Amino acid sequence: MTVDALSAPSAGDPVFHAPRTLEEAFDALAEDGAVALAGGTSVGLLVGQGLLAPTALVWLGRIPGLGSVGVAEGPLSLGATATLASLASDPRVRTAAPALADAAAAVGNTRVRAVATAGGALAHADPRQDLPPALLALDARVEVAGPRGRRELRIDELVCGFMSTDLAPDELITAVRVPAPPGRRSCYLRFTPGSDDDYPTVSVAATAVVSDGTPSTVTLAVGGAGPVAYLVPEAQELSGATGARVAGLVADVAEAAARRADPVDDRLGSAAYKRRMVAVWARRALGRCLTGER
Amino acid sequence: MRLHARVNGAAFEADVPATASLLDTLRAAGLTGTKEGCRVGVCGLCTVLVDDRPVSSCLFLAGCAEGADVWTVEGMATRAPWAVEAFVEHEGMQCGICTPGQVVAVASMDRDIATEPEVRRYLSGNLCRCTGYGTIVEAALDAKRREREALGHIDAGNHDAEGRA
């Protein structure tokens, strides 16, 4: 079967590259206006709506090994093109980082998760995405590679503003490493008052290393409530907290999370409402992590 | 660019712009069973299978299907007859525009799914604006039952009288 009804390609059309190696990808990305894509759920959307007019599309789906998920001496290593569906269903991810598995399982719908990737979600840098707050709270590191070599960034170093990243045009995210310390609990909660398939109004991720009922390292991150997902450093005040002190400290940290929010009014809620919801959902996420309840 | 793939089991070639969606490419080839709805990956009308994965063909660039095995609703009577039969039997449709996407989505669903909450979760991204979900869910559950039965028959057929494989 052949197609002739679509407009035939012409000289001004973008070029579609399917590199087989990272080096070939870097070369293709060196062209001004070239855009990398993996699952294409973001790039396909932006191109389809006329919001992005690349001179070249560089598809990463043919680079061997870029989508593998591994466990190397503790940390989870997620290949940049590992799909969200694979993260949501991988028992190693579920065991080591439930917040990440839950965040991946919450994105969009079955069809989006089937092709959308970990690296793509980070490079797209939409503040309503589910993965950034989860990976921030889990203290993940992003491996970035380009023709000038490799470097490693924290999530809040990679994502530096509303839909913008620290990536150079010819750099690619190649992997995301998630520490997996023993005894760490984590959870990701998202507030979707409309449709479950929608972006969250706000989302929160919390982690706590708990031994003998006493938390040590505690982290909290928030998504959807500002131009980028952010950490709440006050969460560390919960370290060592036990007994009757915990509830009051959790409430204080949740209020700190709300104070740090910088939300905007949109269809997902007013800024004031989102700020209140940050406090509510932060309290719930911290409570779950500290008590171990699901 | 020249696209080479397989569609519904047959070789498929097309000259397509680099930014062409798989949806437009399929429809231009006369495979108009796949419908366009929201065009933003939300409604599920344009669901097709690419290498066994359900995708929104409106967002999926045709170039990403290079070398892939693509199945549309036109191929479901071959690929997943149990799904088509179940939708017909349970009348899993009202106006019918979401039906191609629903059938393909059910074809892609794990065959071990056997409960209504699992089905509703899996199909939550395939919208029916007639809200005829009751019979769609019934059809999906029955489709998986039929698929498991069909598989059981195949497995049984591969064993001899003593049960050896």
Side-chain angles (χ1 to χ4, degrees):
Chain A
M1 183 183 286
T2 57
V3 176
D4 50 23
L6 274 177
S7 64
S10 65
D13 282 341
V15 185
F16 193 96
H17 297 285
R20 302 278 170 162
T21 66
L22 281 175
E23 288 67 31
E24 286 177 21
F26 301 148
D27 286 347
L29 286 167
E31 184 186 333
D32 193 30
V35 169
L37 73 135
T41 49
S42 298
V43 171
L45 183 65
L46 294 172
V47 166
Q49 299 205 320
L51 296 170
L52 187 67
T55 57
L57 290 164
V58 183
W59 179 44
L60 308 176
R62 284 287 177 266
I63 300 177
L66 197 57
S68 62
V69 175
V71 184
E73 297 181 8
L76 287 170
S77 180
L78 318 173
T81 57
T83 63
L84 302 180
S86 73
L87 302 186
S89 64
D90 192 316
R92 297 169 300 178
V93 177
R94 167 69 50 195
T95 303
L100 176 59
D102 285 345
V107 175
N109 55 48
T110 306
R111 301 179 305 280
V112 169
R113 293 188 295 271
V115 293
T117 65
L122 291 171
H124 188 46
D126 185 321
R128 303 166 299 180
Q129 294 263 1
D130 294 276
L131 253 52
L135 290 171
L136 252 183
L138 291 162
D139 196 27
R141 294 292 186 276
V142 182
E143 184 189 83
V144 170
R148 293 165 302 284
R150 284 172 193 266
R151 58 199 182 111
E152 204 172 72
L153 300 172
R154 296 193 313 267
I155 303 294
D156 53 358
E157 292 171 326
L158 173 77
V159 181
C160 50
F162 175 78
M163 299 197 83
S164 62
T165 67
D166 190 52
L167 293 171
D170 58 355
E171 281 186 314
L172 288 169
I173 295 172
T174 48
V176 182
R177 273 188 272 281
V178 183
R184 183 189 62 193
R185 298 171 179 166
S186 69
C187 79
Y188 175 73
L189 301 177
R190 69 204 299 268
F191 176 47
T192 51
S195 163
D196 204 33
D197 289 357
D198 204 347
Y199 288 110
T201 293
V202 299
S203 64
V204 294
T207 78
V209 177
V210 181
S211 61
D212 296 332
T214 305
S216 48
T217 309
V218 182
T219 66
L220 176 67
V222 179
V228 296
Y230 59 91
L231 275 171
V232 183
E234 290 85 351
Q236 192 47 33
E237 290 165 18
L238 283 158
S239 174
T242 53
R245 289 177 59 230
V246 173
L249 280 171
V250 163
D252 290 348
V253 173
E255 288 305 322
R259 277 196 302 278
R260 287 179 177 276
D262 183 18
V264 292
D265 297 324
D266 62 18
R267 66 174 182 84
L268 296 168
S270 69
Y273 182 60
K274 289 180 187 175
R275 192 183 292 280
R276 287 327 305 155
M277 289 304 104
V278 168
V280 169
W281 289 83
R283 200 166 63 229
R284 290 178 187 172
L286 287 168
R288 281 200 197 191
C289 267
L290 295 176
T291 62
E293 287 167 10
R294 285 291 295 172
Chain B
M1 64 177 294
R2 189 77 177 162
L3 169 69
H4 313 77
R6 293 185 73 75
V7 175
N8 297 329
F12 181 96
E13 285 194 30
D15 279 319
V16 295
T19 53
S21 68
L22 183 56
L23 171 65
D24 290 342
T25 304
L26 292 168
R27 289 184 60 87
L31 293 166
T32 53
T34 305
K35 306 304 181 199
E36 176 180 349
C38 67
R39 199 95 204 177
V40 291
V42 168
C43 75
L45 258 61
C46 69
T47 308
V48 303
L49 303 182
V50 176
D51 290 336
D52 297 326
R53 300 171 302 177
V55 307
S56 290
S57 59
C58 66
L59 298 183
F60 199 89
L61 295 177
C64 301
E66 174 67 27
D69 188 27
V70 177
W71 287 82
T72 70
V73 69
E74 284 89 347
M76 286 302 109
T78 309
R79 158 96 183 213
W82 33 268
V84 177
E85 288 158 13
F87 270 83
V88 170
E89 188 150 314
H90 293 268
E91 258 182 79
M93 67 210 72
Q94 287 187 31
C95 83
I97 196 165
C98 73
T99 311
Q102 302 280 6
V103 172
V104 175
V106 166
S108 74
M109 198 163 72
D110 190 323
R111 74 170 65 89
D112 294 328
I113 287 183
T115 66
E116 187 174 326
E118 289 174 299
V119 167
R120 287 188 180 272
R121 165 89 180 130
Y122 192 87
L123 294 182
S124 66
N126 286 81
L127 307 183
C128 167
R129 292 297 77 177
C130 305
T131 71
Y133 293 108
T135 55
I136 292 171
V137 171
E138 278 175 26
L141 283 166
D142 191 34
K144 292 295 117 171
R145 203 155 36 230
R146 289 166 186 254
E147 185 185 4
R148 288 191 295 273
E149 263 180 37
L151 194 78
H153 291 318
I154 292 166
D155 281 352
N158 288 341
H159 290 68
D160 64 16
E162 279 79 44
R164 286 185 297 252

